[in-house]
Amino acid sequence: MVLPNQYGNTLLFLDKLREAGWRRIGFYLPKVVDSRTSGAFSAAYWRWQQNIPERERLEVGLPDGFDEAHFAAWFRRVRPKFVIGLPAPLLDWIRRARVKPVPVAFPATLAEASADATRIDERWDMIYAAAVRTLDSMLRHSERGVPESPRRVSITGRWVPGRWGSGPR
């Protein structure tokens, strides 16, 4: 498998947000989305929280599904200043909840992300090249079928500061 390093990308994203001055960075992602990466996004967030002061650690939002009422209750309780989550539903939910808007971004490539948003460039060019090299190597060494010990090549992305990259507004 050749894939983006979701765990490493999430840690990089969080570290860069903190370096830019953001505090009270929340995490809200339905389990159905997080489970597609074996929990890489939430695991990275939980790990990252161990490196910040306890008073700044926020309750993780990891609901069973997409639930606007659950999000609104979590948002009012946690009071994040920045949310790591899926922008499309969360920005609409924040607007409808009539709470002070906060930036929402996700540390992975999303079709919905605007070009000027803070993000991680997952480097799909490098992922595709690594996939081709891996396949070429397998063919040259007559490797066929599912390997007994599967290999994973994960590519760490790069931080792209956007309109929220220079610190809190």
Side-chain angles (χ1 to χ4, degrees):
M1 291 176 31
V2 179
L3 63 162
N5 180 357
Q6 287 105 352
Y7 183 89
N9 288 346
T10 303
L11 289 175
L12 174 63
F13 194 68
L14 288 160
D15 286 343
K16 291 294 189 178
L17 286 174
R18 190 160 170 78
E19 285 174 19
W22 290 98
R23 299 298 181 267
R24 299 197 60 76
I25 301 169
F27 179 93
Y28 193 90
L29 189 66
K31 288 179 189 172
V32 67
V33 176
D34 195 44
S35 67
R36 292 182 183 155
T37 62
S38 301
F41 296 115
S42 62
Y45 183 77
W46 275 313
R47 179 66 192 105
W48 175 80
Q49 284 201 96
Q50 305 314 301
N51 295 325
I52 64 173
E54 192 169 336
R55 69 183 179 284
E56 294 182 32
R57 297 177 192 167
L58 303 182
E59 171 192 334
V60 175
L62 203 59
D64 289 329
F66 290 87
D67 184 334
E68 185 171 352
H70 184 277
F71 172 76
W74 172 85
F75 190 90
R76 286 187 175 99
R77 186 172 57 254
V78 173
R79 298 181 335 274
K81 300 294 184 197
F82 195 109
V83 178
I84 304 296
L86 300 175
L90 298 188
L91 289 171
D92 287 340
W93 294 352
I94 289 169
R95 185 178 39 77
R96 286 198 291 267
R98 295 184 182 359
V99 294
K100 184 178 179 185
V102 301
V104 177
F106 196 64
T109 304
L110 295 172
E112 66 194 47
S114 66
D116 63 342
T118 296
R119 66 190 183 284
I120 295 293
D121 172 7
E122 289 182 305
R123 304 299 313 264
W124 282 97
D125 56 334
M126 292 179 71
I127 292 169
Y128 296 147
V132 169
R133 283 192 305 273
T134 300
L135 180 59
D136 178 63
S137 174
M138 291 172 69
L139 292 171
R140 288 177 188 268
H141 293 95
S142 298
E143 297 177 32
R144 303 281 190 269
V146 178
E148 183 178 322
S149 295
R151 287 176 282 183
R152 291 177 70 127
V153 175
S154 65
I155 306 295
T156 301
R158 66 179 169 205
W159 165 256
V160 179
R163 67 177 163 231
W164 306 307
S166 58
R169 293 188 281 166

